[in-house]
Amino acid sequence: MGVWTLHTYGVTRGSIALKAYYIKDLAEKIGQDVEIYGWVYRKRRHGKLIFVVVRDSSGIVQISIRKGSVPEESFEAAKAADIESSIRVLGVVKEDERATGGVEVACTMLEVVAPSPDFPIQEDTGPEALLDIRHLTLRSTESQKIMKMKMGLVKAAREFFDGEGFYEVFPPILMGVAGEGGGTLFSLDYFGQTAYLSQTAQLHLEAAIFSLENVYSLTPSFRAEKSRTRRHLTEFSHFEAEMAWCDQKENEGIQERLVTHICNALGERYAGDLECFDQDPAYFRDMEPTFERILYDEAVSLIQETRPDFCFGADLGFEEEKVLTEHFEYPFFVQRFPMSIKAFYMKQEGDRAVCADLEAPGGYGEIIGGSQREDDLESLMARIAAEGEDLEKYEWYLDLRRYGSVPHSGFGMGTERLLRWILKLDHIRSACLFPRTPARVYP
RNA sequence: GCCGUCAUAGCUCAGUCGGUAGAGCGCCCGCCUGUUAAGCGGAUGGUCGCAGGUUCGAGUCCUGCUGACGGCGCCA
């Protein structure tokens, strides 16, 4: 058995360090002896020949186990191995066109590390049942691809911010006051006072720009709305950025460069995975940071072409967004909503907010909401009072306007929303490891 | 908060006019040396979401409840 210690780096079963290599690398090891650790993905028995498809984090490969070519215990172990049992395999890598991927491992030894009796997922398991056992559903190759691409998205976003000289900061999740008026908050007992889970880090990022000027954060945000839609979670990954000395025009420029950088990077680095989701990598790879911009008024006109009953002054509902997004191939900005339907902290010009939402094409909804912030103390106080909010709770926020206020802007980007649009996922839940919705906080 | 749909085996579903609960897949057993979520044979598997009501008789009809799902609103 000396040859095998070569591949385990002297580590034997029972005291495993790291795997020597991963399934995706086997194509470069034709003719070599290899050791594979993984999980049984598929099994097909043919009497004296058994095929086991083994899965690890990097991919899958077919193992052929022939009676007579392996010790009798190995053949019996293969015969008995359940779907998703963890196994250790020794064998020789061979090219074989009959195997998926063109590579197969001819087994010389197989042992079950731990069994997996009655694994509950099978071909026709429905979406609700899959969510009930999300902790097991994550093992699917589709979930693997989504999780890997989500990491790629976050990595690309951080690259962008880093390249633009932003500082990453780490704002609190436990909050004493609401971030945005109106939205429902999750509350909890905080040593006898009521505290809330953050809906947005924006207000705290605004404080940070007076120190670091350009900042961003990636935090969970919570919305206690019973939103039963395919684009809402009660907990989501929120990229937020805030920039001092920045007007709305430059704010939009940063947003489109950010989204474009992310798309370019994914188009280049995840071309194969994008194709698995029927997406054209070239569309993302070649995207340019020149998104179209339309005014809210123009959006209303476009909507009225097909929905004459839609009235000026209303917010764009989902049906309206869907109509609107059919006019665009790439994400686009809708600018200058009426102040009456936007948040108190936005800068006001006439009856309009100095703001823009970035909409994904194809009815996938709003990816980014951003605005120039109100930097004038009196206007801000009047706005907070008009919302019926207690000014005292916002004293610290108002201090930011009392001590060296600056023009500044910022935005928030929903990570799962962006990923959902890129992969055209049916539901935002699929873009999340353990999605939290009004009816689900388990598992 | 509002509107709608659904709830039967581990999973996906069928169940006619109200008359003793069905299929496929999975699990289990047997056969099979090139399969691609293999194939063939056998066996197992049920508080029909819960509580009432109508009826000689309810998975089926009626009432209430619960839960999940889908859509709206809200937003990222």
Side-chain angles (χ1 to χ4, degrees):
Chain A
M1 292 296 278
V3 61
W4 305 121
T5 55
L6 179 69
H7 299 290
T8 56
Y9 293 94
V11 176
T12 55
R13 182 182 167 213
S15 63
I16 298 168
L18 275 176
K19 290 166 61 164
Y21 41 70
Y22 290 84
I23 286 171
K24 69 174 166 53
D25 301 321
L26 293 180
E28 297 155 18
K29 306 201 179 291
I30 306 295
Q32 295 184 31
D33 292 316
V34 295
E35 174 179 48
I36 298 166
Y37 289 97
W39 292 264
V40 174
Y41 183 66
R42 301 273 187 270
K43 193 175 80 173
R44 294 180 280 272
R45 284 180 53 190
H46 299 267
K48 295 187 173 110
L49 171 66
I50 301 172
F51 296 108
V52 169
V53 180
V54 63
R55 167 185 76 73
D56 74 4
S57 61
S58 72
I60 59 174
V61 70
Q62 177 166 289
I63 315 289
S64 62
I65 303 108
R66 278 166 208 282
K67 196 173 175 69
S69 302
V70 296
E72 194 55 27
E73 315 84 72
S74 289
F75 193 81
E76 290 303 314
K79 226 164 116 178
D82 314 295
I83 297 295
E84 286 300 317
S85 50
S86 48
I87 58 171
R88 172 174 176 250
V89 177
L90 305 178
V92 183
V93 184
K94 290 182 171 165
E95 272 182 304
D96 195 323
E97 287 189 358
R98 293 171 295 186
T100 308
V103 173
E104 178 178 284
V105 174
C107 182
T108 54
M109 194 288 297
L110 181 148
E111 63 184 353
V112 172
V113 176
S116 173
D118 300 318
F119 190 71
I121 296 175
Q122 52 181 289
E123 182 180 2
D124 60 358
T125 303
E128 289 173 45
L130 288 175
L131 285 166
D132 290 337
I133 48 172
R134 180 72 179 169
H135 53 293
L136 301 177
T137 307
L138 294 178
R139 303 180 181 197
S140 72
T141 51
E142 181 180 301
S143 291
Q144 280 183 327
K145 289 189 178 85
I146 293 172
M147 290 187 284
K148 288 176 183 176
M149 228 173 304
K150 191 170 186 178
M151 181 211 70
L153 186 161
V154 168
K155 187 176 170 187
R158 284 205 164 102
E159 280 166 7
F160 172 83
F161 284 121
D162 191 44
E164 299 256 341
F166 280 66
Y167 292 95
E168 182 168 8
V169 295
F170 305 90
I173 306 301
L174 291 168
M175 302 294 223
V177 293
E180 302 172 7
T184 316
L185 295 149
F186 288 110
S187 60
L188 55 97
D189 175 70
Y190 192 78
F191 304 122
Q193 334 173 24
T194 302
Y196 306 93
L197 294 177
S198 172
Q199 298 174 292
T200 171
Q202 180 195 319
L203 272 50
H204 291 85
L205 293 190
E206 285 189 62
I209 63 166
F210 291 85
S211 175
L212 298 170
E213 300 196 300
N214 298 330
V215 300
Y216 78 96
S217 61
L218 175 60
T219 59
S221 279
F222 303 87
R223 306 283 162 92
E225 292 282 350
K226 289 192 175 172
S227 301
R228 304 203 48 83
T229 81
R230 285 181 279 178
R231 55 195 188 285
H232 286 89
L233 294 165
T234 53
E235 175 179 353
F236 65 98
S237 287
H238 206 179
F239 261 113
E240 292 178 275
E242 202 69 30
M243 297 80 72
W245 320 105
C246 179
D247 64 11
Q248 177 58 17
K249 188 178 176 213
E250 178 56 14
N251 188 19
E252 289 167 24
I254 290 167
Q255 292 167 39
E256 71 185 338
R257 294 203 301 280
L258 167 65
V259 170
T260 303
H261 179 82
I262 290 168
C263 290
N264 293 165
L266 292 180
E268 201 156 301
R269 300 167 193 169
Y270 291 85
D273 290 331
L274 284 166
E275 280 166 355
C276 288
F277 289 87
D278 292 320
Q279 298 309 307
D280 178 15
Y283 169 89
F284 296 102
R285 193 184 55 229
D286 303 333
M287 188 180 292
E288 293 188 12
T290 51
F291 295 163
E292 287 189 69
R293 287 152 169 79
I294 62 169
L295 295 170
Y296 168 82
D297 306 66
E298 294 168 325
V300 170
S301 302
L302 279 171
I303 291 161
Q304 283 172 340
E305 282 176 21
T306 44
R307 298 173 66 92
D309 53 318
F310 184 74
C311 292
F312 181 88
D315 204 353
L316 305 184
F318 179 65
E319 284 306 314
E320 289 76 30
E321 279 183 10
K322 232 162 77 179
V323 169
L324 191 61
T325 59
E326 282 163 13
H327 292 82
F328 297 88
E329 187 187 352
Y330 292 100
F332 61 97
F333 290 104
V334 182
Q335 302 169 315
R336 296 193 172 248
F337 284 76
M339 193 65 208
S340 55
I341 56 174
K342 285 294 180 181
F344 72 85
Y345 51 73
M346 292 186 181
K347 189 161 186 66
Q348 188 166 0
E349 266 182 25
D351 63 345
R352 297 314 174 93
V354 184
C355 71
D357 290 347
L358 186 70
E359 293 278 343
Y364 284 86
E366 200 179 319
I367 293 172
I368 289 179
S371 68
Q372 189 163 337
R373 317 306 192 190
E374 182 54 74
D375 49 85
D376 178 69
L377 178 64
E378 299 303 321
S379 309
L380 191 56
M381 287 174 73
R383 210 81 48 69
I384 292 172
E387 295 263 332
E389 292 283 338
D390 186 359
L391 271 172
E392 258 179 50
K393 290 181 177 173
Y394 290 90
E395 276 306 303
W396 73 264
Y397 185 63
L398 294 170
D399 269 355
L400 305 179
R401 276 70 179 169
R402 291 190 180 105
Y403 303 108
S405 188
V406 291
H408 65 287
S409 302
F411 62 91
M413 180 175 78
T415 308
E416 290 84 3
R417 286 235 180 130
L418 181 59
L419 187 62
R420 178 183 173 230
W421 165 64
I422 290 171
L423 296 179
K424 308 297 180 284
L425 300 173
D426 181 58
H427 201 297
I428 195 167
R429 281 188 302 229
S430 307
C432 196
L433 195 63
F434 288 100
R436 266 57 174 121
T437 58
R440 281 183 194 281
V441 281
Y442 179 93

